[in-house]
Amino acid sequence: MSELVHASRQDGRLMLTIDRPERRNALNAEVIGTLQDALDCARSDETIRAVVLSGAGDEAFCAGADLGGDAFAFDYAMPTSAYANLLRTARTLNVPLVARVNGACMAGGMGLLAMCDLAITARHATFGLPEAKMGVFPMQVLAVLQAQLPQRCLAQLCLTGEPIDAARAREIGLVNEVADDLDAVLDRLLSRLLANSPTALRRGMYAMKAMRSMSFDEAIAFGEGQLGLLALTQDAREGVAAFKEKRKPQWTGK
């Protein structure tokens, strides 16, 4: 990790916290690179069962790109950008990625939120895509938000640049839950995730993400094959046995 992104682990949970409260936890090259490294680690470490992404303090989750520097500088010799690569990596992550939205979530911060599989938010948080007010547009964020939000809701966020509150974010499906006690809700959610078979979640998330780009015929055929493979795992056999014997399953993650 780095001074700008803190990491802690407990019971299969990896907690990543952007620690730049004085810059509203804005993104710079170091933050993006550190998050990229952390997700690469989570993808290859079978002891990590869930990843949580949050920001330090209670004012901002992430305010987007750090406009104090040259936020829109690109290396035109490279076909991809570091931020876009981070969004790509999250799409291939086979453990739950949870956003803990502790405050304002703006611009590129909305991309971090959207790349997560689940999201809970503090009631005081706000959400927005203000890029058009600065002469740009949330081009990369659109790639992850367009599959999550109704078309007209997304268009209003992009075209007006006006923020919405947490209740509205919940209403349009941007977050799963609005919480008065953010950490209590997060702990309850993670406890439920970690009680389930790690094999089922890992293969299930792989299937869910793969099916997003498939037609119905392709997805149903893919699902048939994936179910057959999952049924061969130790966790699947243990789950059926535990159900029949009316006991708590003992997962091996195999």
Side-chain angles (χ1 to χ4, degrees):
M1 293 297 100
S2 74
E3 292 184 358
L4 302 186
V5 179
H6 294 166
S8 61
R9 292 185 59 168
Q10 180 184 8
D11 300 329
R13 312 171 186 189
L14 174 62
M15 182 80 177
L16 302 174
T17 304
I18 303 173
D19 191 10
R20 305 186 72 205
E22 75 287 353
R23 300 295 300 170
R24 293 174 62 80
N25 297 320
L27 299 168
N28 62 11
E30 183 177 342
V31 171
I32 293 171
T34 305
L35 292 176
Q36 176 72 60
D37 291 343
L39 294 192
D40 285 338
C41 176
R43 187 164 49 184
S44 60
D45 186 343
E46 292 187 1
T47 67
I48 295 176
R49 299 276 313 280
V51 180
V52 179
L53 178 60
S54 190
D58 58 9
E59 291 188 5
F61 170 71
C62 177
D66 189 343
L67 300 182
D70 194 351
F72 303 111
F74 281 84
D75 180 352
Y76 294 104
M78 299 299 294
T80 61
S81 68
Y83 179 74
N85 286 337
L86 178 62
L87 301 183
R88 291 183 177 97
T89 298
R91 192 174 176 86
T92 65
L93 195 65
N94 292 333
V95 296
L97 182 55
V98 181
R100 175 188 177 276
V101 184
N102 54 299
C105 178
M106 298 289 163
M110 288 279 277
L112 297 187
L113 167 62
M115 79 179 188
C116 293
D117 305 294
L118 299 167
I120 58 172
T121 180
R123 195 170 298 279
H124 69 271
T126 54
F127 304 79
L129 296 170
E131 284 89 338
K133 294 176 180 287
M134 294 174 285
V136 290
F137 208 75
M139 300 295 189
Q140 298 171 101
V141 177
L142 281 172
V144 282
L145 274 180
Q146 65 179 354
Q148 296 184 9
L149 296 182
Q151 181 179 347
R152 294 191 188 280
C153 295
L154 180 56
Q156 184 172 354
L157 285 168
C158 292
L159 299 178
T160 68
E162 294 300 315
I164 59 175
D165 62 17
R168 178 59 175 162
R170 172 66 182 87
E171 186 177 87
I172 64 177
L174 189 58
V175 299
N176 295 93
E177 189 169 353
V178 179
D180 291 314
D181 188 335
L182 195 56
D183 288 326
V185 172
L186 175 64
D187 188 65
R188 184 170 70 248
L189 174 62
L190 291 175
S191 295
R192 290 172 177 173
L193 293 178
L194 269 61
N196 293 327
S197 158
T199 300
L201 294 190
R202 188 165 53 243
R203 290 202 67 94
M205 292 191 61
Y206 165 73
M208 280 197 301
K209 292 179 178 182
M211 287 182 185
R212 289 176 187 168
S213 59
M214 297 180 186
S215 67
F216 170 78
D217 287 338
E218 291 169 333
I220 196 69
F222 180 77
E224 287 173 320
Q226 288 298 306
L227 180 58
L229 291 171
L230 185 56
L232 296 174
T233 65
Q234 292 178 19
D235 273 9
R237 293 194 294 270
E238 167 63 10
V240 172
F243 177 79
K244 291 179 178 179
E245 297 166 12
K246 297 182 180 180
R247 59 174 174 82
K248 184 177 180 181
Q250 301 297 314
W251 307 122
T252 63
K254 301 294 183 182

